[in-house]
Amino acid sequence: AKGNDGFAAEVSITGSKDGWFRIHEATINNYGFENAPTRVFKGTGWVSGRHLGLLLNRNYLYRDSSERAPVVAKLGSGPDSFVVDRLVACRADWVKVEGTYLGTRLRGWARGTCANQATTCP
């Protein structure tokens, strides 16, 4: 859902199963405004990973949710170089994503995600 200035709703994910994500609530942050975030959904519900997105703040995609797992790809062109098309699963602070990097389709696990739509996270 798009909100003020085209910002999408940000959700609190509490689980995943078969490409679907259980969310607790959804809010639209009014970046650049002094207004408090607007809650657009309260309660528990499920959303397809095809309707969710995020930025990756780390440069590696892994085969599994461990930094000891083989690296699927090194994303060396900054946080906007990998375009996440779909969230596939989550496990603790890891998320499995699908997307495109320099014209190549990739799927892998990452951590260090960022939901902030106005700037990158630290």
Side-chain angles (χ1 to χ4, degrees):
K2 296 288 182 183
N4 292 342
D5 289 329
F7 293 119
E10 296 176 16
V11 299
S12 175
I13 296 174
T14 58
S16 69
K17 183 174 181 169
D18 299 328
W20 287 80
F21 291 78
R22 185 177 59 232
I23 64 168
H24 173 65
E25 67 177 23
T27 58
I28 296 177
N29 285 312
N30 301 305
Y31 298 106
F33 300 95
E34 293 187 21
N35 302 341
T38 304
R39 185 179 307 165
V40 294
F41 176 78
K42 181 179 179 180
T44 301
W46 289 85
V47 177
S48 168
R50 294 184 188 282
H51 299 294
L52 298 172
L54 48 71
L55 291 177
L56 301 179
N57 275 344
R58 301 218 178 132
N59 289 339
Y60 294 97
L61 284 181
Y62 296 90
R63 186 173 297 154
D64 200 0
S65 58
S66 168
E67 290 180 352
R68 294 182 182 153
V71 172
V72 173
K74 181 174 193 268
L75 311 171
S77 300
D80 297 330
S81 63
F82 180 70
V83 178
V84 175
D85 296 328
R86 176 179 172 214
L87 276 60
V88 179
C90 63
R91 187 178 300 148
D93 64 343
W94 289 84
V95 63
K96 188 173 190 179
V97 296
E98 286 183 355
T100 304
Y101 176 67
L102 302 176
T104 301
R105 295 290 301 161
L106 297 172
R107 182 182 225 189
W109 288 89
R111 57 192 302 198
T113 61
C114 180
N116 188 316
Q117 299 167 64
T119 186
T120 57
C121 298

